[in-house]
C-alpha cells in the first residue's frame, strides 16, 4: 500500500517543515514494525519549494491471515477474503489507516513542539493514493471528501487495460488537494474515510471503535452530509455501535448551540423599538446572575459544563476571586473558538494558570471533574433529549459532586412575551424541551433529594407577575454531613 503527502513552501516558510509536522526527518528513510507488516516512511523530494513524504506499507500476508481468522481472536470475519490471495496487501484500506495513526501519531493529534504555529495553520496539501477500493465509485469519493474542503479527483482503475471492454474495477486512483486544511485535519479525514470507502475492516470492530471515530471526527463529522453512511461503514454496519455513535454525534451538534437564540430575539425586539433605550441582553443578565450566585456560594474553583464558545469562562476570568476555571464541552470546534476568544496562546503565565479547556461529554462520568467548589450548567439541559437527562444528572450530581451547582434553563411560560416568537415555538431549533416553572422545580427538587442537595430558585431577567422570568435558575447546595444525619434520624 502506498500514500504520499506533498506540500509547497517558500524560503521563509520552507516546505521541509513537513518533516517537523510528521516528526520524520526528510533525510532519513525509516521503518516501523506493525502487527501486519512493516511501514516505511521516506521522502522522494525535499527542498524549500516542495516536499513529499511517502508512506509505504508492506503487508505480511501470512500475519494478515492468521490474525484475521475468526472474531474470537480479534480479527474481522472477512479480513482475509481468500486466504493468501486477496487485495488486502495492495489496496488502501483500514490497514493503511491504522498505519497512519501509529506512524504519524503526534501529527494526527496536531502536536509539534518544534513548529507549533505551522501545525495550527492550513497548508497547501496534495495527497495521492494510487489504489483505493471505493464501494460507491468516484461519486461517493467526492461526496465524502469535498464537503471537508478537498478538491477530489478519483480516476477509475480499469480491470485490465489490455481489455477495456471489461470495464472498470471497484478501485480508483485518488488525488486530494486543499489550501484550507491543517495536516492534522487531513490525516484524521484519511484515518476515517479510507476504511469507509473500502467498506471493510481488517479487525473485529468492538465498542472502543466508537470513541476512535468520535476523536478522529471532531470538528467535521457531526455536520457532514454523509454522517450516517460514514458512521455505519466505519463501524462495520454494527447497528448497536452505529446507534451509540449517532446519539453521541447528536450531543456534539446540540452542544455547539450557544446563547444566540435569546440574543437574536433581543436584537429583533430592539430593532422594533429603536427610539427606546436598548435593554441589557438576557444572555448578559444570565451571566451576571450566575456570577452573583457563585460569589454568594464562596466558590473559587469553578466548572463551566457545556461552556460552548467560552463567554462565561471569559467573564469569570475577569474576577480574581475565581482561582481556577475549567471549561468543559463535547465539541472540539467550540473549544477551539473559546480558546481564540480567550487568547490563550497570548495569555500571561499567571492568568493562563487559572483557566483550562477540556473536551468531555456530560453524559458520562469523568474523574477530572471531581473536587470543584461549583459547577455551572447554563442553558445546557434543554439541548438534551429527556431520556439522556438521568445520565447527565448522575455524572454531575452523583459522580463529580461539586459543593454548588447552578442550572439555568428557559421558562417556556415567558415565551408569550416575545412578540417575534411564533406561538407554540421554542426559542431555538435545537431545544428538545422548554419547561414551565412548575416542571423545572419538580425536576430540580427530585435531583436534590436523590443526591443530597438543597435547592433554591432564582429568577433571571424581568420577573413578570403572570408568566415569571424569561430564564429560571436553580441553585443547588450540598447538604452538610450534620444535616444529612439529622434528616436520616428524623426519617
Amino acid at each position: 500500500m502506498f500514500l504520499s503527502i506533498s506540500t509547497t513552501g517558500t524560503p521563509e516558510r520552507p516546505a521541509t517543515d513537513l518533516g517537523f509536522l510528521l516528526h520524520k526527518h526528510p533525510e532519513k528513510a525509516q521503518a516501523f514494525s506493525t502487527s501486519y507488516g512493516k511501514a516505511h516512511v521516506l521522502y522522494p523530494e525535499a527542498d524549500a519549494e516542495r516536499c513529499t513524504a511517502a508512506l509505504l506499507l508492506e503487508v505480511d500476508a501470512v500475519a494478515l491471515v492468521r490474525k484475521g481468522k475468526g472474531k474470537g481472536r480479534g480479527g474481522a470475519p472477512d479480513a482475509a477474503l481468500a486466504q493468501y490471495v486477496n487485495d488486502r496487501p495492495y489496496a488502501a484500506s483500514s490497514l493503511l489507516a491504522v498505519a497512519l495513526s501509529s506512524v504519524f501519531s503526534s501529527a494526527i493529534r496536531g502536536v509539534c513542539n518544534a513548529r507549533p504555529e505551522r501545525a495550527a495553520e492550513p497548508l497547501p496539501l496534495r495527497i495521492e493514493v494510487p489504489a483505493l477500493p471505493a464501494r460507491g465509485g468516484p461519486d461517493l469519493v467526492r461526496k465524502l471528501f469535498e464537503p471537508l474542503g478537498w478538491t477530489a479527483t478519483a480516476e477509475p482503475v480499469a480491470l485490465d487495460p489490455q481489455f477495456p471492454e471489461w470495464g472498470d474495477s471497484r478501485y480508483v486512483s485518488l488525488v486530494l488537494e486543499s489550501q484550507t486544511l491543517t495536516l492534522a485535519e487531513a490525516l484524521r479525514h484519511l484515518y476515517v474515510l479510507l476504511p469507509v470507502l473500502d467498506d471493510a475492516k481488517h479487525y473485529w470492530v468492538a465498542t472502543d471503535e466508537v470513541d476512535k471515530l468520535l476523536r478522529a471526527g471532531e470538528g467535521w463529522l457531526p455536520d457532514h452530509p454523509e454522517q450516517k453512511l460514514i458512521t455505519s461503514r466505519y463501524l462495520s454496519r454494527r447497528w448497536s455501535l452505529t446507534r451509540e455513535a449517532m446519539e453521541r454525534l447528536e450531543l456534539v451538534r446540540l452542544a455547539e448551540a450557544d446563547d444566540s437564540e435569546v440574543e437574536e430575539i433581543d436584537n429583533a425586539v430592539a430593532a422594533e423599538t429603536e427610539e427606546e433605550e436598548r435593554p441589557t441582553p438576557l444572555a448578559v443578565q444570565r451571566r451576571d446572575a450566575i456570577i452573583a450566585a457563585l460569589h454568594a456560594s464562596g466558590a473559587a474553583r469553578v466548572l463551566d459544563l457545556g461552556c460552548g464558545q467560552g463567554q462565561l469562562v471569559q467573564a469569570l476570568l475577569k474576577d480574581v476571586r475565581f482561582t481556577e476555571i475549567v471549561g468543559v464541552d463535547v465539541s472540539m470546534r467550540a473549544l477551539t473558538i473559546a480558546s481564540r476568544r480567550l487568547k490563550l496562546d497570548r495569555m500571561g503565565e499567571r492568568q493562563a494558570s487559572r483557566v483550562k479547556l477540556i473536551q468531555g461529554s456530560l453524559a458520562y462520568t469523568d474523574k477530572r471533574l471531581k473536587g470543584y467548589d461549583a459547577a455551572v450548567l447554563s442553558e445546557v439541559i434543554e439541548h438534551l433529549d429527556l431520556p439522556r437527562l438521568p445520565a447527565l444528572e448522575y455524572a454531575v450530581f452523583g459522580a463529580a459532586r461539586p459543593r454548588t451547582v447552578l442550572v439555568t434553563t428557559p421558562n417556556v411560560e415567558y415565551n408569550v412575551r416575545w412578540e417575534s416568537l411564533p406561538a407554540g415555538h421554542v426559542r431555538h431549533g435545537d431545544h428538545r424541551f422548554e419547561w414551565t416553572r412548575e416542571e423545572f422545580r419538580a425536576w430540580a427538587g427530585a435531583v436534590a433529594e436523590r443526591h443530597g442537595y438543597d435547592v433554591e430558585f432564582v429568577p433571571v431577567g424581568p420577573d413578570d407577575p403572570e408568566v415569571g422570568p424569561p430564564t429560571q435558575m436553580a441553585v443547588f447546595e450540598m447538604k452538610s454531613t450534620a444535616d444529612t444525619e439529622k434528616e436520616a434520624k428524623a426519617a
Side-chain angles (χ1 to χ4, degrees):
M1 301 180 190
F2 184 83
L3 176 148
S4 65
I5 304 170
S6 302
T7 189
T8 55
T10 64
E12 295 77 23
R13 302 177 75 79
T16 48
D17 282 352
L18 181 64
F20 289 102
L21 301 180
L22 292 174
H23 297 258
K24 304 293 181 288
H25 200 291
E27 295 182 5
K28 297 180 180 179
Q30 296 174 267
F32 305 87
S33 296
T34 74
S35 57
Y36 291 94
K38 186 168 289 188
H40 302 268
V41 178
L42 58 149
Y43 287 79
E45 54 183 345
D47 55 43
E49 294 184 355
R50 183 176 176 85
C51 185
T52 298
L55 175 64
L56 174 64
L57 180 61
E58 279 187 295
V59 177
D60 183 340
V62 175
L64 179 64
V65 172
R66 287 174 177 169
K67 290 179 179 290
K69 285 183 178 179
K71 56 187 178 182
R73 294 181 58 186
D78 59 350
L81 300 182
Q83 293 297 308
Y84 300 100
V85 182
N86 60 70
D87 68 344
R88 301 297 88 180
Y90 312 107
S93 66
S94 58
L95 285 164
L96 186 59
V98 171
L100 276 173
S101 68
S102 59
V103 174
F104 300 136
S105 58
S106 295
I108 205 169
R109 291 184 285 114
V111 176
C112 181
N113 294 331
R115 297 286 191 276
E117 74 287 350
R118 294 286 269 164
E121 67 184 18
L123 298 177
L125 291 171
R126 179 184 173 92
I127 294 175
E128 298 182 52
V129 184
L132 172 66
R135 296 182 189 271
D139 287 344
L140 181 59
V141 173
R142 288 188 286 270
K143 286 180 180 179
L144 294 184
F145 282 103
E146 290 183 350
L148 302 175
W150 293 103
T151 299
T153 303
E155 295 292 338
V157 176
L159 278 171
D160 190 327
Q162 296 183 2
F163 299 96
E165 64 273 14
W166 289 4
D168 295 329
S169 68
R170 68 182 183 92
Y171 303 92
V172 299
S173 176
L174 175 66
V175 176
L176 299 172
E177 295 180 295
S178 175
Q179 302 283 332
T180 61
L181 297 169
T182 66
L183 179 63
E185 289 171 329
L187 293 175
R188 289 197 292 267
H189 295 166
L190 292 169
Y191 175 76
V192 173
L193 296 181
L194 290 181
V196 166
L197 283 165
D198 189 16
D199 199 13
K201 284 204 168 184
H202 68 278
Y203 56 87
W204 180 251
V205 173
T207 54
D208 62 337
E209 290 297 302
V210 176
D211 293 327
K212 293 180 185 178
L213 175 62
L214 266 62
R215 281 197 299 269
E218 285 175 2
W220 62 271
L221 185 54
D223 297 320
H224 198 291
E226 300 295 334
Q227 178 201 103
K228 186 173 182 180
L229 179 143
I230 293 170
T231 304
S232 176
R233 285 193 175 191
Y234 183 87
L235 298 170
S236 297
R237 304 179 188 272
R238 292 190 61 188
W239 169 237
S240 61
L241 299 182
T242 302
R243 180 174 57 189
E244 178 187 347
M246 294 293 288
E247 288 177 354
R248 290 174 62 180
L249 286 167
E250 179 69 1
L251 283 175
V252 171
R253 190 182 67 82
L254 296 179
E256 290 178 351
D258 56 20
D259 293 331
S260 60
E261 66 271 20
V262 174
E263 294 191 30
E264 288 174 2
I265 294 172
D266 284 338
N267 292 338
V269 172
E272 295 174 2
T273 58
E274 292 180 350
E275 297 180 0
E276 300 179 7
E277 182 180 355
R278 183 175 178 178
T280 303
L282 181 57
V284 175
Q285 296 182 59
R286 184 164 53 243
R287 285 195 287 273
D288 290 345
I290 289 170
I291 292 173
L294 291 172
H295 286 168
S297 74
R301 303 175 65 241
V302 180
L303 297 167
D304 182 8
L305 303 178
C307 66
Q309 298 176 7
Q311 293 94 330
L312 177 60
V313 172
Q314 186 178 44
L316 294 174
L317 265 176
K318 296 176 181 178
D319 193 323
V320 296
R321 281 177 282 193
F322 302 115
T323 59
E324 184 178 354
I325 305 149
V326 178
V328 183
D329 206 281
V330 73
S331 166
M332 283 303 299
R333 178 185 296 177
L335 292 174
T336 299
I337 295 172
S339 178
R340 292 172 182 165
R341 176 191 294 274
L342 298 171
K343 299 181 175 63
L344 289 182
D345 57 337
R346 287 176 280 169
M347 190 177 288
E349 183 177 348
R350 185 173 181 179
Q351 186 79 330
S353 67
R354 296 174 56 214
V355 63
K356 182 165 58 176
L357 301 177
I358 61 177
Q359 192 272 341
S361 170
L362 302 182
Y364 301 90
T365 59
D366 190 335
K367 63 182 180 181
R368 296 175 298 176
L369 307 184
K370 292 184 178 181
Y372 286 85
D373 300 330
V376 178
L377 288 159
S378 179
E379 308 301 285
V380 170
I381 61 173
E382 65 272 11
H383 290 281
L384 301 179
D385 290 318
L386 284 170
R388 306 290 292 181
L389 275 184
L392 178 145
E393 173 193 332
Y394 179 75
V396 176
F397 294 91
R401 292 192 64 76
R403 190 177 70 242
T404 301
V405 181
L406 308 180
V407 181
T408 73
T409 192
N411 168 24
V412 70
E413 297 170 76
Y414 193 89
N415 287 359
V416 296
R417 296 292 188 256
W418 300 117
E419 295 181 5
S420 58
L421 186 65
H425 283 61
V426 293
R427 298 183 197 177
H428 191 281
D430 278 334
H431 285 187
R432 302 303 175 163
F433 61 87
E434 288 179 357
W435 276 332
T436 64
R437 288 168 290 172
E438 182 179 353
E439 289 170 328
F440 182 52
R441 286 171 180 265
W443 174 80
V447 169
E449 183 176 354
R450 280 193 291 268
H451 298 285
Y453 285 80
D454 291 318
V455 62
E456 295 181 354
F457 299 92
V458 178
V460 178
D463 196 355
D464 189 288
E466 295 181 3
V467 296
T471 294
Q472 43 192 339
M473 179 166 70
V475 180
F476 296 84
E477 291 287 348
M478 186 182 292
K479 294 179 180 179
S480 67
T481 304
D483 290 339
T484 305
E485 290 177 353
K486 186 185 293 185
E487 290 183 4
K489 290 179 180 179

